[in-house]
Amino acid sequence: MEQDQAVQLAGVFLVQSQRENEPPLAIDAERVRESNGLLIVPYNSVQYLDSRDPREQLLDCWSILVDLARGDVRFGTLDERHLWKNPST
């Protein structure tokens, strides 16, 4: 699967997963990257992404992971947190 397609899948997944009481969310396109066959797609509030002001950042946004071979889309887990917190590992 191409990276552009995977980002689109992640965007659809994010919209479908969003709860009514959450602020508008968007993919952080600047920080999308690939690791071990997974596309790591971070997201946050639109307000934070527009400003990059840490005071606007939502803190429990687990990155969306897209399996590039199968096209499976899901939120990352605690065990996978190192993928987006320490990208070199």
Side-chain angles (χ1 to χ4, degrees):
M1 169 177 294
E2 296 293 323
Q3 185 170 335
D4 291 344
Q5 291 174 300
V7 170
Q8 288 177 355
L9 284 176
V12 170
F13 179 80
L14 181 60
V15 168
Q16 292 174 343
S17 301
Q18 188 165 0
R19 296 179 303 230
E20 288 183 28
N21 63 342
E22 291 178 314
L25 302 173
I27 290 173
D28 187 349
E30 294 176 16
R31 296 198 171 126
V32 171
R33 65 185 173 281
E34 186 178 340
S35 177
N36 298 324
L38 293 173
L39 192 67
I40 301 163
V41 184
Y43 67 95
N44 213 291
S45 71
V46 170
Q47 188 172 3
Y48 167 72
L49 295 175
D50 285 343
S51 70
R52 296 291 178 176
D53 181 344
R55 294 174 294 178
E56 303 295 334
Q57 186 175 17
L58 300 177
L59 298 178
D60 71 345
C61 295
W62 296 81
S63 290
I64 298 167
L65 304 179
V66 182
D67 184 309
L68 293 171
R70 296 189 316 251
D72 295 337
V73 184
R74 61 183 175 77
F75 288 111
T77 65
L78 181 61
D79 292 338
E80 297 165 319
R81 190 168 181 254
H82 68 279
L83 293 173
W84 59 90
K85 289 296 182 184
N86 303 312
S88 61
T89 60

